[in-house]
């Protein structure tokens, strides 16, 4: 065994004493030969494969392809599992466990003989949780997105995952389709491996990591079942070995400029509002100052260039065929920090300068955008002192300035029990308000903010109303929905004291969200407010989460996880 300086793994496999014997010997039961311990870079493949995470259920094959690339470049690949968060199955919400998964990732990387890491991401929370954990360690890191499903096909038309769930359900409630039609759509929507093929949170996260510079160019849009995705996996394995040799660590990529680029790209693609929560949390781990105002100041005036559901009509497969994210980045070159370094060692501008668009109906030009200003808007007012968010590209233009009577649901159970009651005092001019679905109040801040409209409203042909909550909504959803109200109702935010009949004013252009009551009345209601005590707060991880989770405008991370602990582990295990 030759001694190589500078590699973390040498502190395990390079020792010539009792500890070296232990570290090498037990690895040998897998049939690993002597030369794998000769000082070559050890590459951790952080795999979120799980059959309970349908979006990531194809990752076993990809991990083997990544290993081929690592071996080819002279590295020693070691695959390890971490908590996998399946958005579609996990109760009460995958967001509750994002921070837990990030802790798993952080400690798994730090505690093992790893010199560089490949993050295998796909379903919504697997991307931010893995990046958050890796950022807190600081090794050379590259992301391998799992890729979207093929387009859904239903009765001769393309349908989008998530987006058509909401549409089909509304049509069923309104009597526009049969129950047989509704069930038929299930298999039609999900017909291949991969994550949601709309611009939901999974696709948004894939575009986020590419725009941050954490993937090889063009990674985000390649469908999961396209052979070129395996080529990407192979090249990702090769590249991480080179990154270790170059000492190209994650903090050299995740600069303030990279975060600003990601905010602008997210606006241009009509990305999910969840982007704000996750990018803010990543920034907190890497030590980049990011404020809600940055998302508005940097992104809200960026034009929408991508014609993709739920803000448009196409899907991720079409996006890939049209040229993918490199075309968007190239179109935005006048707005971006083109010198920002990426995982291939080149600036993001250089990587994408030759990108060519093959379908301008899917990807518009900067000169002729789909919408002139489409980024996420940040609202403030007495109803959201720390801020709230709305996605204009998914909203109804006529409702962007609206004043209406509040119809209040105290929690999700109250909403589910009363929303379809024919005697509910509501019409289309009202504002639906949902309380206690924020980080602490649910707990976990679920995707219930896009409240389904009452059946009696849908039967009138109305498809949108103003809705307000301290929760989130799926990136696949649409509507004039105000989300992430902070402070949340469960900690005494103004949302918690809204009453039926109160008038609420929304003015997106003026960035205003206002509860129309006097200061005296507001103060009196807050004085009388009493918090809801959750049974879940008594023990375990959920109790820890409720005690330490920060508000949504800070990324809903745990207060004790901010920053990083680095990669040094000073003590051996025996």
């Amino acid at each position: 065994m030759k001694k190589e300086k500078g590699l973390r793994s040498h502190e395990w496999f390079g020792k010539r004493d009792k500890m070296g014997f232990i570290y090498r010997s037990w690895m040998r039961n897998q049939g690993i030969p002597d030369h794998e311990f000769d000082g070559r870079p050890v590459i951790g493949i952080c795999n979120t494969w799980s059959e309970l995470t349908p979006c990531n259920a194809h990752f076993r094959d990809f991990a083997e392809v990544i290993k081929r690339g690592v071996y080819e470049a002279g590295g020693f690949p070691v695959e390890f599992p971490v908590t996998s968060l399946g958005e579609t199955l996990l109760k009460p919400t995958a967001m509750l466990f994002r921070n837990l998964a990030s802790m798993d990732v952080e400690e798994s990387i730090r505690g093992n003989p790893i010199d560089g890491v490949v993050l295998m991401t796909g379903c919504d929370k697997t991307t931010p949780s893995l990046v958050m954990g890796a950022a807190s360690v600081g090794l050379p890191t590259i992301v391998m997105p799992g890729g979207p499903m093929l387009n859904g096909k239903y009765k001769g038309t393309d349908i989008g995952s998530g987006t058509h769930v909401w549409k089909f359900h509304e049509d069923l409630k309104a009597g526009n389709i049969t129950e047989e039609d509704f069930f038929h759509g299930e298999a039609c929507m999900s017909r291949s491996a991969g994550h949601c093929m709309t611009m939901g949170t999974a696709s948004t996260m894939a575009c986020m990591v590419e725009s941050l510079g954490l993937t090889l160019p063009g990674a985000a849009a390649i469908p999961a079942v396209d052979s070129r995705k395996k080529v990407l996996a192979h090249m990702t394995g090769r590249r991480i070995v080179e990154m270790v040799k170059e000492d190209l660590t994650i903090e050299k990529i995740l600069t303030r400029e990279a975060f600003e680029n990601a905010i602008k790209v997210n606006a241009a693609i009509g990305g999910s509002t969840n982007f704000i929560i996750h990018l803010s949390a990543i920034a907190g781990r890497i030590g980049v100052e990011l404020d809600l105002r940055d998302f508005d100041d940097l992104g809200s005036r960026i034009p929408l260039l991508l014609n993709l559901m739920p803000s448009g009509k196409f899907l991720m497969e079409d996006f890939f065929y049209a040229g993918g994210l490199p075309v968007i980045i190239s179109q935005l070159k006048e707005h971006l920090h083109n010198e920002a370094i990426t995982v291939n060692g080149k600036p993001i501008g250089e990587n994408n300068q030759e990108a060519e668009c093959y379908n301008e109906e899917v990807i518009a030009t900067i000169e002729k955008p789909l919408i002139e200003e489409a980024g996420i808007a940040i609202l403030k007012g007495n109803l959201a002192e720390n801020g709230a968010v709305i996605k204009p590209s998914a909203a109804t233009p006529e409702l962007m300035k609206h004043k209406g009577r509040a119809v209040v649901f105290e929690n999700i159970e109250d909403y589910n029990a009363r929303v379809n009651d024919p005697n509910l005092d509501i019409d289309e001019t009202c504002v639906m308000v949902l309380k206690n679905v924020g980080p602490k109040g649910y707990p976990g801040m679920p995707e219930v903010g896009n409240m389904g409209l009452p059946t009696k409203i849908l039967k009138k042909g109305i498809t949108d109303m103003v809705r307000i909550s301290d929760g989130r909504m799926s990136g696949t959803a649409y509507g004039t929905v105000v989300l992430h109200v902070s402070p949340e109702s469960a900690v005494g935010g103004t949302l918690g004291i809204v009453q039926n009949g109160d008038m609420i004013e929304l003015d997106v252009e003026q960035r205003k969200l206002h509860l129309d009551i006097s200061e005296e009345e507001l103060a009196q209601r807050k004085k009388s407010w009493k918090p809801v005590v959750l049974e879940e707060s008594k023990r375990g991880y959920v109790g820890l989460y409720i005690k330490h989770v920060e508000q949504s405008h800070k990324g809903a991370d745990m207060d004790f996880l901010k920053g990083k602990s680095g990669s040094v582990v000073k003590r051996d295990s025996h």
Side-chain angles (χ1 to χ4, degrees):
M1 292 172 295
K2 64 180 181 179
K3 183 176 181 179
E4 294 285 349
K5 293 183 178 180
L7 292 179
R8 288 182 79 242
S9 58
H10 181 77
E11 296 301 316
W12 282 261
F13 299 141
K15 289 179 179 289
R16 308 185 71 84
D17 57 9
K18 174 194 73 173
M19 293 312 305
F21 182 102
I22 291 172
Y23 293 136
R24 291 187 299 273
S25 179
W26 268 266
M27 287 291 284
R28 289 179 188 275
N29 79 352
Q30 301 175 77
I32 297 171
D34 289 346
H35 66 265
E36 296 290 349
F37 301 110
D38 64 2
R40 64 189 63 199
V42 177
I43 303 301
I45 300 173
C46 183
N47 196 342
T48 52
W49 169 87
S50 171
E51 290 178 342
L52 291 170
T53 305
C55 304
N56 299 18
H58 59 300
F59 280 13
R60 280 175 167 173
D61 289 344
F62 281 174
E64 294 304 314
V65 178
I66 293 169
K67 289 176 188 177
R68 293 206 301 261
V70 173
Y71 280 129
E72 189 176 272
F76 174 11
V78 286
E79 180 185 351
F80 63 98
V82 292
T83 304
S84 186
L85 303 176
E87 195 69 28
T88 55
L89 298 182
L90 192 56
K91 291 183 177 183
T93 170
M95 183 62 181
L96 176 61
F97 304 106
R98 183 201 66 180
N99 301 338
L100 177 65
S102 78
M103 294 167 70
D104 183 6
V105 173
E106 177 179 346
E107 303 305 338
S108 293
I109 296 173
R110 180 184 295 115
N112 283 294
I114 293 170
D115 301 307
V117 63
V118 178
L119 307 178
M120 296 185 67
T121 65
C123 195
D124 297 13
K125 308 304 179 297
T126 61
T127 303
S129 64
L130 267 60
V131 175
M132 289 161 67
S136 292
V137 182
L139 298 181
T141 302
I142 191 169
V143 178
M144 170 61 202
M149 293 186 283
L150 297 177
N151 291 358
K153 299 288 183 179
Y154 175 82
K155 296 186 176 182
T157 62
D158 284 356
I159 62 172
S161 50
T163 298
H164 274 79
V165 173
W166 321 125
K167 185 179 187 305
F168 285 159
H169 189 235
E170 288 173 353
D171 285 347
L172 182 66
K173 288 170 66 176
N176 298 328
I177 62 173
T178 66
E179 194 172 74
E180 184 178 354
D181 293 329
F182 184 70
F183 291 134
H184 176 59
E186 290 180 12
C188 296
M189 191 179 74
S190 305
R191 64 187 191 91
S192 81
H195 60 67
C196 289
M197 83 300 275
T198 51
M199 189 48 72
T201 303
S203 295
T204 298
M205 292 295 97
C207 292
M208 177 190 76
V209 287
E210 183 172 341
S211 61
L212 283 170
L214 289 174
T215 73
L216 293 177
I222 307 174
V225 295
D226 193 299
S227 62
R228 285 164 285 191
K229 181 63 81 172
K230 287 188 174 180
V231 173
L232 176 76
H234 188 116
M235 300 309 294
T236 296
R238 282 179 55 93
R239 179 58 195 157
I240 188 59
V241 178
E242 297 166 354
M243 289 176 66
V244 171
K245 294 176 180 178
E246 297 166 8
D247 194 31
L248 182 53
T249 54
I250 191 170
E251 65 263 22
K252 294 176 182 176
I253 296 167
L254 291 182
T255 60
R256 168 73 188 192
E257 289 75 20
F259 282 91
E260 292 187 2
N261 285 346
I263 291 171
K264 293 174 181 178
V265 169
N266 189 68
I269 62 173
S272 167
T273 50
N274 289 310
F275 169 84
I276 293 180
I277 294 277
H278 300 317
L279 194 73
S280 297
I282 294 167
R285 296 295 185 94
I286 205 72
V288 169
E289 291 293 328
L290 207 58
D291 185 89
L292 267 187
R293 290 171 298 183
D294 292 321
F295 293 91
D296 205 327
D297 293 346
L298 296 168
S300 65
R301 308 303 179 193
I302 295 294
L304 180 68
L305 302 181
L306 184 57
N307 188 5
L308 203 74
M309 296 180 196
S311 297
K313 71 175 185 177
F314 292 101
L315 296 164
M316 288 293 287
E317 188 180 348
D318 308 303
F319 184 29
F320 174 59
Y321 300 149
L325 197 67
V327 178
I328 299 287
I329 294 171
S330 177
Q331 286 291 318
L332 290 176
K333 60 182 179 291
E334 299 301 323
H335 296 275
L336 301 180
H337 299 285
N338 293 291
E339 72 286 355
I341 202 70
T342 70
V343 290
N344 70 354
K346 298 178 182 179
I348 193 168
E350 181 181 337
N351 282 340
N352 299 287
Q353 62 184 353
E354 302 298 328
E356 185 177 352
C357 180
Y358 306 114
N359 188 337
E360 290 189 0
E361 189 180 2
V362 177
I363 307 174
T365 63
I366 195 77
E367 293 80 16
K368 294 183 178 180
L370 298 168
I371 301 175
E372 289 290 345
E373 296 180 355
I376 295 168
I378 305 301
L379 310 171
K380 287 199 173 183
N382 69 351
L383 194 49
E385 297 99 319
N386 294 333
V389 306
I390 189 170
K391 183 178 176 180
S393 63
T396 301
E398 293 77 19
L399 291 175
M400 298 282 273
K401 185 174 183 179
H402 182 79
K403 190 172 184 177
R405 172 173 58 87
V407 176
V408 177
F409 302 98
E410 293 296 327
N411 50 47
I412 193 63
E413 289 77 19
D414 183 31
Y415 165 79
N416 288 332
R418 295 194 297 121
V419 66
N420 292 317
D421 184 343
N423 296 317
L424 181 67
D425 184 15
I426 192 170
D427 61 44
E428 60 270 26
T429 68
C430 292
V431 174
M432 297 174 69
V433 175
L434 177 59
K435 302 178 183 179
N436 294 302
V437 292
K440 293 180 184 288
Y442 196 72
M445 201 180 180
E447 293 182 338
V448 296
N450 56 312
M451 294 167 270
L453 303 190
T455 300
K456 69 179 184 180
I457 300 295
L458 291 169
K459 286 184 175 179
K460 293 170 65 175
I462 305 298
T463 58
D464 195 12
M465 291 173 60
V466 175
R467 289 157 273 179
I468 300 173
S469 80
D470 45 15
R472 300 177 300 116
M473 76 173 180
S474 168
T476 66
Y478 48 84
T480 310
V481 184
V482 177
L483 305 153
H484 310 185
V485 171
S486 178
E488 63 175 301
S489 50
V491 299
T494 303
L495 188 70
I497 55 92
V498 177
Q499 297 178 0
N500 284 309
D502 288 343
M503 297 302 291
I504 294 176
E505 182 181 358
L506 169 68
D507 190 332
V508 176
E509 184 177 354
Q510 297 299 318
R511 301 299 193 258
K512 181 180 179 182
L513 186 63
H514 182 74
L515 177 64
D516 191 14
I517 62 174
S518 69
E519 289 295 322
E520 293 76 18
E521 174 68 12
L522 181 63
Q524 183 58 45
R525 289 192 196 179
K526 286 199 171 186
K527 186 177 180 180
S528 303
W529 174 84
K530 294 181 180 179
V532 176
V533 178
L534 296 172
E535 183 69 23
E536 297 94 329
S537 66
K538 293 182 179 179
R539 68 171 299 276
Y541 168 73
V542 177
L544 184 71
Y545 177 94
I546 292 171
K547 183 177 179 180
H548 289 283
V549 70
E550 296 186 319
Q551 288 294 287
S552 58
H553 70 285
K554 293 185 176 181
D557 200 359
M558 313 278 244
D559 53 18
F560 61 83
L561 291 176
K562 288 294 184 70
K564 53 188 175 182
S565 298
S567 63
V568 176
V569 182
K570 295 181 179 180
R571 289 174 168 168
D572 285 316
S573 58
H574 290 78

